[in-house]
Amino acid sequence: VAAGAAAGAAGAAGAAGATEDDGTARTRYADQLKDLAEMGFSDPEANLQALKTTGGNLEAAIMLIAGDE
């Protein structure tokens, strides 16, 4: 169920995230990036991409990142 929710969030936000430049995204998702780093997700580029894909949904981003490991 949770994986389906993450996929739904990713699909809903994917179009917006795909066109947003990294500098803007880093500013927009600064709090979430900090949270991910504090949780031990140490790849800032992967973290940013996951947040862009999910429109900043931290839980969905974690699921995407964890699924890639």
Side-chain angles (χ1 to χ4, degrees):
V1 175
T19 60
E20 184 172 39
D21 69 77
D22 285 355
T24 302
R26 281 188 216 300
T27 301
R28 179 185 305 251
Y29 303 130
D31 290 340
Q32 293 96 321
L33 286 166
K34 181 177 179 248
D35 289 343
L36 288 169
E38 289 173 352
M39 290 179 202
F41 295 99
S42 59
D43 183 343
E45 294 305 316
N47 296 349
L48 181 61
Q49 185 58 49
L51 289 167
K52 286 172 62 175
T53 299
T54 63
N57 182 314
L58 187 61
E59 184 176 334
I62 290 168
M63 294 184 75
L64 284 175
I65 297 164
D68 288 341
E69 294 181 353

